[in-house]
Amino acid sequence: MHPVQKSARSDARCLVMGILNVTPDSFSDGGSYLGTHQAIEHGLALAAAGADIVDVGGESTRPGALRVPPDEEENRVLPVIRVLAAEGIRVSVDTTRADVACAAVQAGAAMVNDVSGGLADPHMAALVAAMAVPYILMHWRSPSADMYRHAHYQDVVIEVRDELLRRVERLTDAGADVDRIVLDPGLGFAKRPEHDWALLSRLPELTGLGLPVLVGASRKSFIGTALADARGEPVPPADRDSATAAVSALAAASGAWAVRVHNVPANRDAVRMAQAWTARS
């Protein structure tokens, strides 16, 4: 078993990563936890609800989102990470910047979750190698502001797989330990709904690579589109939690290492049902 899996899970259950957006503009809960106190309280609540990891981010990656200054990103996440880590909670930092990742690990983060897979910051690979912490490498083609211009694929699963493997090679060439790398197909990032569904339905082609795979489907637009009403209007993000849990169960049954979600209790139940299902199949 991959060492990231060994260190983070004891019962072969797919892990649940709780989302903590310390941002004013995230697509689902922007502004809800922007204050440090509110963010800490929500992080504690996520852990109490059963999150195995709390993912703390200070910059929105929703479609069309613009960058925030590095010092502002740090000011949002570091106080939250310090408190949560001191409470014994396993924390990941959601950032594309090497300097922010470094400061977050020094503050107690145990993992770096980089939606750019190291492409947004040329120093990230060397940092990951030097700090020797687990690193979530997501498939990414461009910043959020224009990512849909790059949503063109002949075979999205093969292309995502190959691009991820090239990023793994670049990281290991820089000295990163392959046994600390987690892959993320990047649902919704330079992907249209048909691309997201293809990646999910063929997830074993990614989990079969031998590296842990994180699935981040929570409340995303492809779910809202699938649940559209008779007029074709997608359901709003806050009403996508039940469907997200269904996707989490399917992803877990397909071998996902973890799911990244807003609603922890529903998704923890979902992955436990997947565990029970697969144990009997």
Side-chain angles (χ1 to χ4, degrees):
M1 183 182 290
H2 190 286
V4 170
Q5 295 170 309
K6 285 182 179 177
S7 65
R9 62 197 288 193
S10 61
D11 58 359
R13 172 181 57 77
C14 175
L15 299 181
V16 175
M17 174 184 281
I19 298 169
L20 177 49
N21 290 318
V22 193
T23 60
D25 55 346
S26 292
F27 81 95
S28 174
D29 56 0
S32 297
Y33 313 110
L34 183 57
T36 299
H37 176 74
Q38 294 94 325
I40 290 170
E41 289 299 309
H42 188 58
L44 294 171
L46 290 170
D52 300 290
I53 306 164
V54 174
D55 190 42
V56 182
E59 182 176 64
S60 175
T61 54
R62 64 174 175 78
L66 301 176
R67 304 301 308 269
V68 301
D71 57 346
E72 182 176 349
E73 186 181 357
E74 287 192 9
N75 289 339
R76 291 176 181 179
V77 302
L78 296 184
V80 179
I81 290 170
R82 288 192 188 98
V83 173
L84 297 182
E87 291 292 325
I89 296 170
R90 186 173 176 84
V91 177
S92 59
V93 60
D94 178 3
T95 185
T96 63
R97 292 183 167 116
D99 287 347
V100 175
C102 181
V105 172
Q106 291 171 344
M111 184 178 299
V112 176
N113 180 15
D114 179 1
V115 301
S116 80
L119 292 173
D121 188 332
H123 303 294
M124 185 66 86
L127 173 83
V128 170
M131 303 204 79
V133 294
Y135 177 73
I136 300 170
L137 186 168
M138 196 192 81
H139 179 265
W140 187 87
R141 285 185 166 179
S142 74
S144 297
D146 67 345
M147 62 183 175
Y148 286 131
R149 292 197 300 110
H150 302 272
H152 302 287
Y153 304 88
Q154 294 297 315
D155 185 320
V156 66
V157 179
I158 290 175
E159 291 174 57
V160 166
R161 179 200 67 191
D162 291 350
E163 289 172 34
L164 285 172
L165 289 176
R166 285 196 291 272
R167 295 298 307 140
V168 170
E169 184 177 9
R170 181 171 174 180
L171 283 164
T172 55
D173 286 348
D177 186 348
V178 69
D179 289 338
R180 297 182 184 274
I181 296 174
V182 176
L183 304 180
D184 180 343
L187 301 180
F189 287 82
K191 318 279 189 319
R192 300 292 182 185
E194 61 269 24
H195 302 137
D196 295 328
W197 287 118
L199 287 162
L200 287 168
S201 66
R202 294 167 58 189
L203 193 62
E205 294 181 42
L206 300 179
T207 59
L209 295 174
L211 296 176
V213 173
L214 171 71
V215 172
S218 188
R219 298 180 181 176
K220 288 191 173 176
S221 60
F222 75 95
I223 294 177
T225 300
L227 299 176
D229 62 23
R231 297 171 298 172
E233 292 293 325
V235 299
D239 294 336
R240 300 172 188 171
D241 284 343
S242 294
T244 294
V247 173
S248 291
L250 293 167
S254 295
W257 165 76
V259 292
R260 182 178 180 273
V261 300
H262 297 85
N263 183 324
V264 167
N267 287 278
R268 187 173 176 89
D269 286 350
V271 300
R272 290 176 66 191
M273 290 300 98
Q275 179 190 16
W277 180 284
T278 56
R280 290 162 173 79
S281 61

